[in-house]
């Protein structure tokens, strides 16, 4: 049965409800229900039954789905144990001893944010709360601290080789590969998208440029002038959110925390992935390239994460930071912390199956082939993803909605699958950075103890600068077919935008603008 235009209704309903409710879970479920109802001949009761019987339950019952859910849980456990053992705070103390200037404090915050690439919430709360005393001492405004924290957390979670975000996106890619009857390693496909994630790279580059040159512009320049000249780290009337959550993360006394408590488990996690890929890919029976291509990516990361969790727990027990009973409580707490990810993943898999049966991707491919040049697809995916993420405040939900659409369109139009995925990922981060209702934006304000509206207001010009450069990068990459040319175009555009804004909206101009407004 061909549904044609009507096949767009379930994903469109999911997008619209996500925009209205600002909650992706009921939006995705209603999309699944509508699609199941359409497939049930328009009977909503039968559609509700089939939503579970044909889509939701089968989505979590397969071997691949179970693997993804298990290693999601293990990632949650790892993050919880790392919080409890306090390794991040020991690293921050070592950094603080070498900081002697505002530039150094900002650079240390950037470096610390890059180091914690494996979880965005942990990054936003830990980096903000740990570096805040250091940046305060160097008279760096809270707005600047929150910007650096926010603009490193999400990008690094997608540029690092392993993170909770990588796990989530791999689950979406792997399921879509099955729906499209395509072979390949979902992990290697993800890795190939990393160099093409132009917005993430440009956002990090912009932080580096701003920190090194101290060339602030817009409201941020005013905030930095205020902090340097008067020592006022917050604007008059600012109401920083309670950072109780960040404080509660300090699970170990300062004298008991050790840098190795974070570094060793992360090294185990990252270091075990290559040998496990070779092992699950039947190396040396297969040559190196074949083994990596045929490796079981999900199982490899699951085992690596399990080993990292075991090492982290063992180190905590050996140092008597907690006893065995508390260690098991940490395991349960960590698994519970991933509940939201479980729900979103399950519904994302389900709506992907629904749209596959409705022929949504086939219809979109037909439309795209008839009226849209393939070279424009990457920039369109970036822009649509940005809009969805901005209005919903969730990158996860954006990926869940957009990747099942982007991958079939890219495959049918013979364009780079990695570029299409990267465009969706970049759009999700860009919209998230601009959105005042984004969870990571709110947590960055909390961890940095910065007024939330002040954080959004000062970060927005910087996010828009990187986003504009990202649009140019994806447009050029699509038109030329060269990721290198696209990336270099984005970098050139970023430097041009920063130069112009610094000249037109530097400290003096931004101060006059703020006083007038």
């Amino acid at each position: 049965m061909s549904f044609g235009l009507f096949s767009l209704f379930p994903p469109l309903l999911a997008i619209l409800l996500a925009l209205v409710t600002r909650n992706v879970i009921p939006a995705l479920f209603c999309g699944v229900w509508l699609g199941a109802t359409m497939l049930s001949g328009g009977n909503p009761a039968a559609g509700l039954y089939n939503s579970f019987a044909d889509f939701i339950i089968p989505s979590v019952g397969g071997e691949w789905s179970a693997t993804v859910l298990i290693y999601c849980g293990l990632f949650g456990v790892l993050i919880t144990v790392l919080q409890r053992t306090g390794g991040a705070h020991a690293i921050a103390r070592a950094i603080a001893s070498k900081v002697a200037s505002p530039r150094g404090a900002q650079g240390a915050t950037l470096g610390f944010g890059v180091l914690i690439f494996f979880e965005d919430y942990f990054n936003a709360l830990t980096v903000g709360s740990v570096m805040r005393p250091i940046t305060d001492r160097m008279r760096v405004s809270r707005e600047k601290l929150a910007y650096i924290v926010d603009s490193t957390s999400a990008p690094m979670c997608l540029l690092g080789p392993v993170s909770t975000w990588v796990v989530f996106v791999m689950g979406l890619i792997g399921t879509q590969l099955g729906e499209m009857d395509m072979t390949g390693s979902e992990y290697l496909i993800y890795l190939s998208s990393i160099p093409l994630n132009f917005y993430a790279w440009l956002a990090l580059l912009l932080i580096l440029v701003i920190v090194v040159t101290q060339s602030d512009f817009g409201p941020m320049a005013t905030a930095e002038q205020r902090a340097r000249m008067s020592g006022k780290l917050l604007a008059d009337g600012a109401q920083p959110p309670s950072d109780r959550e960040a404080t509660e993360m300090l699970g170990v006394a300062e004298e008991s925390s050790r840098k190795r408590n974070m570094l060793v488990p992360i090294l185990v996690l990252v270091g075990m992935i290559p040998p496990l890929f070779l092992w699950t890919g039947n190396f040396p029976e297969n040559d190196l390239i074949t083994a990596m291509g045929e490796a079981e990516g999900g199982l490899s990361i699951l085992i690596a994460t399990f080993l990292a969790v075991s090492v982290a727990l063992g180190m905590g027990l050996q140092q008597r930071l907690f006893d065995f009973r508390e260690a098991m409580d940490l395991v349960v707490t960590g698994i519970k912390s991933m509940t939201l990810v479980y729900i979103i993943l399950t519904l994302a898999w389900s709506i992907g199956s629904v749209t596959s049966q409705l022929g949504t991707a086939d219809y979109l491919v037909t439309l795209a082939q008839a009226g849209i040049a393939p070279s424009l697809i990457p920039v369109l995916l970036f822009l649509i993803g940005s809009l969805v993420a901005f209005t919903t405040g969730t990158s996860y939900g954006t990926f869940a909605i957009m990747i099942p659409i982007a991958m079939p369109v890219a495959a049918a139009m013979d364009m780079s699958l990695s570029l299409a995925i990267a465009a969706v990922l970049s759009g999700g981060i860009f919209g998230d950075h601009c959105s005042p209702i984004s969870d990571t934006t709110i947590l960055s304000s909390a961890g940095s103890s910065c007024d939330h509206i002040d954080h959004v207001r000062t970060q927005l010009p910087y996010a828009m600068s990187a986003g504009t450069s990202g649009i140019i990068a994806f447009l050029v990459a699509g038109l030329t077919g060269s990721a290198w040319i696209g990336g270099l175009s984005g970098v050139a555009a970023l430097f041009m935008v920063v130069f112009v804004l610094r000249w037109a909206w530097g400290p003096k101009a931004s101060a006059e603008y703020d006083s007038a407004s």
Side-chain angles (χ1 to χ4, degrees):
M1 184 184 299
S2 175
F3 287 88
L5 176 64
F6 295 103
S7 66
L8 297 176
F9 284 11
L12 284 177
L13 177 65
I15 293 173
L16 291 174
L17 285 178
L19 301 183
V20 172
T21 66
R22 297 177 178 177
N23 193 315
V24 75
I25 291 176
L28 285 171
F29 178 78
C30 288
V32 173
W33 186 12
L34 176 60
T37 299
M38 292 167 62
L39 291 166
S40 303
N43 186 329
L48 181 62
Y49 174 84
N50 291 332
S51 295
F52 289 95
D54 296 342
F55 299 108
I56 295 176
I57 293 175
S59 291
V60 297
E63 180 180 347
W64 162 250
S65 303
T67 302
V68 172
L69 295 177
I70 292 172
Y71 66 57
C72 274
L74 288 173
F75 256 107
V77 176
L78 179 62
I79 301 305
T80 301
V81 177
L82 292 179
Q83 291 176 12
R84 179 66 179 82
T85 53
H89 295 83
I91 293 174
R93 288 201 307 275
I95 293 173
S97 65
K98 297 177 173 59
V99 170
S101 68
R103 180 185 284 110
Q106 295 171 46
T109 304
L110 170 60
F112 195 32
V114 169
L115 179 64
I116 303 183
F117 59 84
F118 42 86
E119 215 279 331
D120 58 330
Y121 285 9
F122 184 47
N123 182 307
L125 287 172
T126 302
V127 176
S129 62
V130 169
M131 296 303 297
R132 188 173 65 243
I134 302 169
T135 55
D136 284 358
R137 192 173 74 245
M138 294 298 158
R139 291 194 171 190
V140 176
S141 67
R142 294 283 177 83
E143 293 93 331
K144 189 67 168 291
L145 173 62
Y147 159 65
I148 297 174
V149 169
D150 198 359
S151 292
T152 53
S153 59
M156 281 311 305
C157 284
L158 286 176
L159 298 180
V162 186
S163 71
T164 51
W165 287 44
V166 174
V167 168
F168 182 82
V169 175
M170 275 180 58
L172 297 174
I173 294 173
T175 300
Q176 200 57 43
L177 288 176
E179 295 285 348
M180 297 161 60
D181 292 325
M182 292 180 63
T183 58
S185 167
E186 63 283 339
Y187 187 56
L188 293 182
I189 291 174
Y190 178 81
L191 291 180
S192 68
S193 76
I194 291 178
L196 307 175
N197 196 337
F198 296 134
Y199 176 79
W201 289 110
L202 291 168
L204 290 176
L205 176 61
L206 179 58
I207 303 174
L208 182 62
V209 170
I210 296 295
V211 168
V212 171
T213 65
Q214 295 291 286
S215 298
D216 290 296
F217 52 84
M220 187 70 79
T222 304
E224 283 291 274
Q225 275 193 324
R226 181 201 68 228
R228 296 288 198 286
M229 297 177 66
S230 68
K232 292 169 59 177
L233 304 173
L234 292 164
D236 292 333
Q239 296 181 335
S242 169
D243 58 344
R244 186 183 65 235
E245 298 94 335
T247 309
E248 289 174 353
M249 295 175 67
L250 308 180
V252 65
E254 183 174 310
E255 63 273 10
S256 301
S257 60
R258 305 285 185 273
K259 288 180 285 187
R260 64 177 181 269
N261 289 348
M262 188 179 85
L263 294 177
V264 173
I266 296 303
L267 287 174
V268 170
L269 173 65
V270 176
M272 287 303 300
I273 289 177
L276 285 167
F277 258 67
L278 294 176
W279 180 46
T280 59
N282 293 321
F283 182 82
E285 294 180 18
N286 291 327
D287 60 71
L288 183 65
I289 302 299
T290 303
M292 292 297 287
E294 294 182 357
E296 297 183 45
L299 183 60
S300 298
I301 294 181
L302 187 155
I303 296 173
T305 309
F306 176 80
L307 293 174
V309 167
S310 301
V311 169
L313 286 171
M315 293 177 69
L317 290 169
Q318 186 270 328
Q319 297 170 40
R320 297 184 178 179
L321 300 178
F322 44 76
D323 57 22
F324 184 78
R325 174 172 291 183
E326 186 180 351
M328 295 302 100
D329 289 340
L330 290 173
V331 171
V332 174
T333 300
I335 293 173
K336 287 166 60 178
S337 72
M338 300 300 287
T339 300
L340 183 61
V341 175
Y342 292 153
I343 296 172
I344 295 177
L345 260 180
T346 299
L347 291 174
W349 291 334
S350 302
I351 199 168
S353 299
V354 167
T355 56
S356 176
Q357 290 198 26
L358 290 172
T360 304
D362 295 336
Y363 180 70
L364 285 172
V365 168
T366 302
L367 287 181
Q369 289 174 331
I372 301 176
S375 58
L376 298 179
I377 296 296
V379 72
L380 288 176
L381 290 174
F382 175 74
L383 291 171
I384 296 171
S386 302
L387 177 63
V388 174
F390 174 78
T391 50
T392 62
T394 168
S395 297
Y396 270 33
T398 301
F399 303 157
I401 291 170
M402 294 298 298
I403 285 180
I405 294 174
M407 288 179 63
V409 170
M413 301 190 73
D414 198 27
M415 64 170 284
S416 167
L417 199 63
S418 301
L419 183 60
I421 293 170
V424 171
L425 301 182
S426 280
I429 305 175
F430 173 43
D432 185 270
H433 278 169
C434 296
S435 176
I437 60 172
S438 158
D439 47 5
T440 51
T441 302
I442 293 169
L443 288 175
S444 296
S445 299
S448 303
S449 194
C450 173
D451 182 279
H452 181 58
I453 299 304
D454 286 344
H455 168 43
V456 174
R457 184 174 60 90
T458 53
Q459 175 170 269
L460 190 58
Y462 290 1
M464 292 298 294
S465 300
T468 302
S469 305
I471 291 172
I472 294 172
F474 281 110
L475 181 61
V476 173
L479 291 172
T480 64
S482 170
W484 278 106
I485 296 177
L488 291 175
S489 300
V491 171
L494 182 67
F495 279 104
M496 186 177 300
V497 168
V498 171
F499 175 79
V500 171
L501 289 177
R502 169 65 179 172
W503 173 78
W505 206 8
K508 184 177 179 180
S510 55
E512 293 173 352
Y513 169 83
D514 271 20
S515 62
S517 59

